């Protein structure tokens, strides 16, 4: 039973990561900001391998920031 819920969470996070990558790719922001956002998504993706629930929370925060127009500083 626990394995089923873990699999569902994995699928949900994977789908949301795909959506997040698409959202970042289509943003009208400077390239440095896009790169910073992409790095954040890559970190979340890597974290999902070890802490799926934590990665889901980090992805929620990142998407909320994007929705509210809060972007990281570009290099």
């Amino acid at each position: 039973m626990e394995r089923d819920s873990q699999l569902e969470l994995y699928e949900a996070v994977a789908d949301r990561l795909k959506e997040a990558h698409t959202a970042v790719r289509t943003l009208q922001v400077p390239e440095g900001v896009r790169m910073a956002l992409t790095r954040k998504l890559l970190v979340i993706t890597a974290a999902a391998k070890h802490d799926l629930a934590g990665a889901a929370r980090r992805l929620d925060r990142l998407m909320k920031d994007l929705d509210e127009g809060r972007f990281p500083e570009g290099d």
Side-chain angles (χ1 to χ4, degrees):
M1 186 75 123
E2 181 180 328
R3 180 140 168 85
D4 290 340
S5 64
Q6 188 77 0
L7 183 58
E8 289 174 10
L9 180 58
Y10 177 80
E11 289 174 350
V13 170
D15 288 343
R16 292 188 57 236
L17 277 167
K18 281 183 187 178
E19 293 169 8
H21 277 278
T22 299
V24 167
R25 196 170 41 250
T26 60
L27 283 174
Q28 298 297 316
V29 294
E31 189 61 26
V33 172
R34 185 180 334 281
M35 288 173 54
L37 289 168
T38 300
R39 280 192 298 272
K40 285 180 178 256
L41 286 171
L42 291 174
V43 168
I44 293 169
T45 301
K49 296 175 184 176
H50 306 285
D51 179 13
L52 191 55
R57 288 188 298 273
R58 291 172 78 173
L59 184 56
D60 285 341
R61 285 193 302 270
L62 177 63
M63 295 309 294
K64 184 177 185 218
D65 286 348
L66 290 180
D67 291 342
E68 295 176 0
R70 291 191 303 260
F71 304 115
E73 296 292 322
D75 291 342

